[in-house]
Amino acid sequence: MIRTSTRATRTPRVVAIAFAVGLAAALAVGVPASAHTQVAPASPEPGSTVTTGPVTIALNTTEPVLESGRKSIVVTGPGDDERYFGDGCATVTNGTTLSADVTLGEPGEYTVIWTLVAEDGHQQSSADFEPFTFTWQPDDGEETVEGAASVPRCGDEPSADASDDGGSSSDALPESNAQGDEAPGDEASEPEGSDIGWLIAAGGIVFIAAAAVVMILVRRRMLADDAEDEDAPSDVSAGENGVSSGDGPPSS
């Protein structure tokens, strides 16, 4: 009996398996990166000029914000002698809008500093995104305030004479603001988000390792089948000549 090679029928199946494994591994790696919430300024329009106050600062998110999580909005400016405006508190509306009404000070450019915790437990701040700035040019008679020398925290009494304590740096502001508006259960918010991130990452690593093992096993199977195919011609030749091992000469 003539033995035919299975390579032609095996190759498409192996390619399909390899493609499926590779695609699944790529998706597993991409999950943690796509899970993060995106935040975009909603009000006022970045780069715009505002003339009436108090100014409503608002940000829109692609995923719901935890109302019980850490959330804060502070406005800082203008010029080199920065002051901080607002009480550090923020309100969540419709689950995906973070906002606060802020009374500003002297005319000039102001920068919005914010912190929030997404529904997946991941904490984000203005340090993770492009600066959100606008110009304050108050009309005559508009109320202005002096602002605070240090970062306001939600629930604290405002104090324009508070010592800076190194908190006036814009780089340190998001971390400082993360301490504001600490509702009960906030301490668990960040660790929970970290655990979820680690679990997703670990799952991706395990999946990729499993995919690699599958590819190795498929490769070994291919090599074994190739070795069998190489032995096939001698068997076919023997069959065609009517000779098999152990058989004597054909009888007359």
Side-chain angles (χ1 to χ4, degrees):
M1 179 178 180
I2 298 176
R3 183 177 179 184
T4 59
S5 173
T6 60
R7 183 181 302 176
T9 58
R10 186 183 69 247
T11 300
R13 182 177 61 187
V14 172
V15 171
I17 293 174
F19 178 81
V21 171
L23 178 60
L27 292 175
V29 173
V31 166
S34 63
H36 291 176
T37 300
Q38 296 301 308
V39 183
S43 176
E45 183 179 349
S48 64
T49 298
V50 182
T51 59
T52 59
V55 179
T56 298
I57 310 298
L59 302 114
N60 288 337
T61 63
T62 55
E63 300 294 335
V65 176
L66 282 181
E67 293 195 37
S68 62
R70 298 175 182 177
K71 53 188 184 295
S72 176
I73 289 180
V74 174
V75 180
T76 180
D80 296 332
D81 186 20
E82 290 186 335
R83 307 289 288 182
Y84 302 102
F85 300 86
D87 56 9
C89 299
T91 301
V92 178
T93 306
N94 298 325
T96 56
T97 299
L98 187 73
S99 65
D101 292 334
V102 180
T103 300
L104 301 176
E106 295 296 322
E109 185 178 75
Y110 285 77
T111 301
V112 179
I113 309 298
W114 55 267
T115 299
L116 60 81
V117 177
E119 191 175 48
D120 62 1
H122 181 69
Q123 181 172 303
Q124 292 178 277
S125 75
S126 50
D128 303 320
F129 295 83
E130 292 294 327
F132 174 13
T133 63
F134 64 92
T135 299
W136 168 239
Q137 191 65 47
D139 291 336
D140 292 340
E142 283 295 322
E143 179 186 2
T144 60
V145 295
E146 184 178 352
S150 60
V151 179
R153 296 175 57 179
C154 188
D156 289 351
E157 289 295 326
S159 174
D161 298 326
S163 61
D164 196 335
D165 292 334
S168 62
S169 170
S170 297
D171 294 337
L173 197 53
E175 181 178 353
S176 300
N177 280 351
Q179 303 301 318
D181 195 23
E182 293 184 12
D186 281 355
E187 294 299 329
S189 296
E190 189 171 358
E192 179 182 354
S194 300
D195 290 343
I196 292 175
W198 279 110
L199 288 174
I200 293 175
I205 293 173
V206 171
F207 194 97
I208 293 173
V213 171
V214 171
M215 293 299 294
I216 292 174
L217 294 176
V218 170
R219 176 61 177 167
R220 288 181 177 177
R221 179 63 182 176
M222 290 175 61
L223 293 175
D225 289 346
D226 288 343
E228 293 178 2
D229 290 344
E230 291 176 357
D231 294 338
S234 60
D235 294 339
V236 172
S237 176
E240 290 176 345
N241 293 328
V243 179
S244 61
S245 60
D247 290 340
S251 58
S252 56

